[in-house]
């Protein structure tokens, strides 16, 4: 079985597809693990709190949860060795793109530029009335509802439950996957659809899966690693 270093060295067009496990090493909680947000005992489940309908009907409760459990951890986090290694791969000209289900912006903070954020980003926010853009700091400050200068409600540019993914982002992600000859999947159970189905666009010759728990793609992997993703990617020697 080839090593990860050998696979990276022998391929020129690498794509990365990642999930919450990429950012847990930066201190951001995931969703589906034993300690994840979805397993925490709440009067209202996290899946409901982060839904489109709940946001519209109960915006105060939405923002109370969003600021504490989603936004603040993202703003406090720093890129880890996995994020940094992927940025180095891009600078070396070997990465076709990072396709991520995360909304924390840590790939960009590490230096990656070709990032396709399937579920949006906490760093982008906009007024529902006039469309004016705001950064994450604007939403994080204070309590209550974030209001635009025009009086409209400002919402995060993230995909809530019940909402469709952005078509341009999906097209970019699929193109990155189709162009790759090596696909590294890391930090994701591949249980979230439609995002997980996008892996079908990959037509290259080698798949690497780095995840602590089994995924539906394990059987197709040329290399399967159960070690922490920061350890796996951070150990790569990347020239250029």
């Amino acid at each position: 079985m080839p090593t990860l270093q050998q696979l990276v060295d022998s391929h020129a067009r690498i794509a990365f597809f990642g999930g919450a496990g990429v950012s847990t090493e930066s201190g951001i909680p995931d969703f589906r693990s034993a300690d994840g947000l979805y397993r925490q005992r709440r009067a209202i489940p996290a899946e409901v709190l982060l839904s489109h309908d709940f946001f519209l009907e109960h915006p105060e409760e939405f923002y109370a949860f969003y600021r504490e459990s989603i936004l603040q951890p993202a703003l406090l986090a720093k890129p880890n060795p996995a994020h940094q290694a992927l940025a180095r791969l891009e600078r070396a000209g070997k990465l076709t793109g990072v396709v991520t289900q995360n909304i924390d912006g840590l790939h960009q903070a590490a230096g990656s530029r070709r990032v396709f954020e399937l579920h949006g980003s906490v760093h982008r926010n906009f007024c529902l009335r006039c469309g004016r853009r705001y950064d994450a700091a604007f939403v994080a400050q204070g309590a209550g509802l974030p209001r635009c200068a025009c009086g409209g409600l400002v919402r995060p540019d993230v995909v809530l439950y019940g909402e469709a993914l952005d078509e341009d982002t999906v097209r970019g992600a699929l193109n990155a996957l189709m162009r790759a000859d090596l696909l590294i999947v890391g930090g994701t159970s591949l249980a979230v659809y439609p995002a997980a189905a996008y892996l079908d666009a990959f037509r290259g010759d080698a798949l690497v899966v780095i995840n602590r728990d089994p995924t539906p793609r394990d059987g197709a992997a040329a290399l399967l690693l159960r070690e922490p993703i920061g350890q796996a990617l951070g150990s790569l020697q990347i020239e250029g």
Side-chain angles (χ1 to χ4, degrees):
M1 180 177 293
T3 66
L4 180 59
Q5 185 72 58
Q6 289 171 334
L7 288 170
V8 168
D9 289 344
S10 61
H11 290 80
R13 301 184 309 279
I14 303 169
F16 179 79
F17 184 98
V22 178
S23 294
T24 54
E25 293 176 46
S26 293
I28 296 178
D30 65 8
F31 292 87
R32 290 173 172 78
S33 71
D35 298 321
L37 290 177
Y38 291 171
R39 300 293 184 90
Q40 297 174 4
R41 298 178 65 88
R42 300 178 183 276
I44 303 174
E47 299 98 315
V48 175
L49 289 165
L50 294 174
S51 69
H52 172 80
D53 289 346
F54 192 87
F55 169 75
L56 293 179
E57 295 169 5
H58 308 281
E60 294 88 355
E61 292 175 73
F62 169 87
Y63 270 108
F65 175 77
Y66 175 79
R67 285 190 175 106
E68 177 183 4
S69 299
I70 305 294
L71 184 56
Q72 292 296 345
L75 295 182
L76 292 172
K78 302 296 182 184
N80 63 54
H83 300 105
Q84 294 160 354
L86 291 167
R88 291 199 305 273
L89 278 173
E90 182 178 307
R91 289 195 295 270
K94 293 176 71 75
L95 198 70
T96 64
V98 170
V99 181
T100 179
Q101 300 170 84
N102 296 336
I103 60 175
D104 49 51
L106 290 179
H107 287 292
Q108 291 93 330
S112 291
R113 293 295 174 259
R114 290 192 294 274
V115 182
F116 303 95
E117 297 170 305
L118 294 176
H119 297 153
S121 172
V122 300
H123 296 282
R124 299 189 301 270
N125 304 271
F126 63 94
C127 173
L128 290 172
R129 178 181 296 174
C130 72
R132 181 175 176 178
R133 293 282 171 171
Y134 290 89
D135 61 14
F138 177 83
V139 176
Q141 65 187 5
L145 298 179
R147 291 287 182 183
C148 176
C150 76
L153 178 63
V154 175
R155 70 154 283 177
D157 190 7
V158 300
V159 179
L160 302 175
Y161 284 96
E163 296 179 336
L165 305 190
D166 177 74
E167 292 183 2
D168 290 338
T169 302
V170 170
R171 278 194 293 270
L174 292 175
N175 183 57
L177 295 171
M178 288 187 288
R179 290 175 51 218
D181 54 13
L182 170 65
L183 174 59
I184 301 174
V185 176
T188 173
S189 61
L190 296 176
V192 177
Y193 283 81
Y198 298 155
L199 267 63
D200 292 337
F202 174 63
R203 293 291 184 267
D205 55 38
L207 170 68
V208 174
V209 176
I210 309 170
N211 201 55
R212 66 182 184 184
D213 299 318
T215 81
R217 303 281 177 156
D218 290 358
L223 178 63
L224 180 62
L225 300 175
R226 295 294 186 219
E227 63 194 72
I229 191 167
Q231 175 181 321
L233 296 183
S235 65
L236 289 172
Q237 299 298 312
I238 303 168
E239 298 181 1

